[in-house]
Amino acid sequence: MSEQTSTLSVAIPHQHGVDPSARKFALALIALTLLPIVFFGALSGPLNGNSVTMPMAKAIWLAGVAHVGMTGTLWFDQRYRQHIRGRPFYFYAGPAALATACILGVQAFGDLGFRVFTSLYTIWLFYHFGRQNWGLLCLISTAVKAGRPSDMERQICQWAPVAGMAGALIGAEGAGGLAIVRQVGFAAGLVVAGVSLAVAVWQFTNGTHPIKTAMTVTVGLFFLPVYVFGSYGAVAVGVAHAYQYILVMICMDAQRRASAPRRWFLPLTFVTVIYVAAFFVMNRAEGDLARPLAVLWNSIIIWHFIIDADVWRLSQPFQRQVVKDNLPYLFR
């Protein structure tokens, strides 16, 4: 979501003139990142199994699932549609070929093929989470006039998801040699978190805007729930990621179609409902169809990764200009 950045030693400019809308966006983004994590953290403790909170948890999770469908609303923006049409192999043929290869591979190798696919998918998923955190950190830095994120912050966003991957791949019930891998991942996650806190202290002493400092800490600690919330850890991280995305997509569509709310709300709702319906159909399959449909479902999510990897590459002129047009208050 942003260009290559400078080192930690770069001076931070004096903070003033932050757009009120930009401040609200940044605070809402941090809140929507932290609240699902806090909620699912509570579920892993005293609220676990509570008859009132469990339906709420399912609703919160399902709303997070819907975020992938929102990627489809990019097609309703003529600028993105023309950009996507210009690269048909990247946006269509490549993902379709990848999905076909995954389905055939899992069918050919059975349980082993499915385990390999699931592991690779999980690695890509956490990489995707990390890239979004980096992009949002860059956007917030721009919004509060805090200068570009440092190389140290880039390293935090690169290594935090790697540490989280170990916990997600092994799972909360990992045993034997796998438990050691999980422990190493947890230790690495704590180191990354400690570095993010140290960077935040450095920023505080040098007058960095507190919202930027809060986001630096947020991305540094983002993946620790995988280790400390048991079976709810990966869910907490996934939902936090989803709600970040939902906020950005709603704000972009609302700004683009500000004169007619129905023009942005209806397409957003339409595509999202279709996606959630497909989720229920494909994940309730049984028998011989269950495994290939599960792979196909995850392949759709991978397609979402591929699309986002291009359209949110804000180091590129086209992508950056569209985001500037749709979220102008972040760049004023």
Side-chain angles (χ1 to χ4, degrees):
M1 279 186 165
S2 184
E3 301 177 55
Q4 301 294 318
T5 54
S6 54
T7 63
L8 186 58
S9 60
V10 171
I12 303 296
H14 181 65
Q15 310 305 321
H16 58 84
V18 176
D19 188 287
S21 296
R23 185 182 298 109
K24 291 177 183 178
F25 175 90
L27 290 173
L29 181 67
I30 294 173
L32 286 175
T33 303
L34 297 180
L35 289 177
I37 292 176
V38 171
F39 177 80
F40 284 101
L43 282 186
S44 69
L47 297 183
N48 192 8
N50 185 285
S51 60
V52 175
T53 56
M54 292 310 293
M56 186 185 303
K58 292 179 181 179
I60 292 172
W61 173 78
L62 186 60
V65 168
H67 89 281
V68 175
M70 290 185 173
T71 303
T73 61
L74 295 172
W75 184 254
F76 292 96
D77 187 316
Q78 184 177 6
R79 295 163 299 177
Y80 280 124
R81 188 161 64 247
Q82 291 177 345
H83 175 71
I84 291 170
R85 283 176 174 172
R87 300 182 62 193
F89 180 82
Y90 179 86
F91 286 105
Y92 298 114
L98 180 61
T100 301
C102 290
I103 293 172
L104 293 177
V106 169
Q107 289 298 94
F109 294 98
D111 289 340
L112 174 61
F114 189 70
R115 287 197 299 270
V116 170
F117 170 80
T118 302
S119 297
L120 294 176
Y121 167 79
T122 301
I123 291 170
W124 200 345
L125 178 69
F126 273 64
Y127 172 78
H128 175 69
F129 291 170
R131 291 304 298 165
Q132 179 166 294
N133 280 351
W134 167 248
L136 293 174
L137 179 63
C138 291
L139 276 183
I140 284 186
S141 297
T142 299
V144 300
K145 307 182 187 304
R148 292 187 293 182
S150 65
D151 284 343
M152 186 64 73
E153 288 169 296
R154 181 195 301 281
Q155 295 298 319
I156 290 169
C157 290
Q158 288 178 345
W159 289 105
V162 174
M165 286 172 196
L169 289 169
I170 305 305
E173 305 301 325
L178 296 180
I180 295 175
V181 174
R182 183 177 172 85
Q183 291 166 6
V184 170
F186 188 21
L190 290 174
V191 170
V192 173
V195 171
S196 71
L197 291 171
V199 172
V201 170
W202 183 92
Q203 291 177 349
F204 177 79
T205 59
N206 283 271
T208 303
H209 197 289
I211 292 178
K212 162 66 184 306
T213 301
M215 190 63 186
T216 298
V217 174
T218 298
V219 300
L221 276 61
F222 186 83
F223 295 95
L224 287 183
V226 173
Y227 294 99
V228 299
F229 293 164
S231 60
Y232 289 104
V235 176
V237 169
V239 173
H241 162 86
Y243 280 27
Q244 292 173 342
Y245 193 86
I246 289 170
L247 175 67
V248 172
M249 293 300 288
I250 287 177
C251 289
M252 286 185 65
D253 272 359
Q255 178 71 29
R256 186 171 69 243
R257 306 171 191 272
S259 60
R262 290 183 181 180
R263 291 184 59 205
W264 66 265
F265 181 75
L266 291 178
L268 199 67
T269 304
F270 175 72
V271 175
T272 303
V273 168
I274 289 178
Y275 179 80
V276 172
F279 165 78
F280 280 112
V281 171
M282 297 173 71
N283 283 273
R284 288 182 178 271
E286 299 178 353
D288 294 338
L289 286 177
R291 183 173 287 165
L293 283 180
V295 176
L296 178 59
W297 172 258
N298 287 334
S299 296
I300 293 173
I301 299 176
I302 290 173
W303 189 14
H304 156 79
F305 299 165
I306 293 171
I307 292 173
D308 279 2
D310 180 273
V311 300
W312 294 106
R313 193 182 296 276
L314 300 193
S315 59
Q316 301 302 309
F318 165 77
Q319 290 90 327
R320 188 173 183 85
Q321 187 58 52
V322 174
V323 174
K324 280 185 174 182
D325 292 342
N326 290 345
L327 301 173
Y329 44 84
L330 299 184
F331 297 86
R332 280 199 281 261

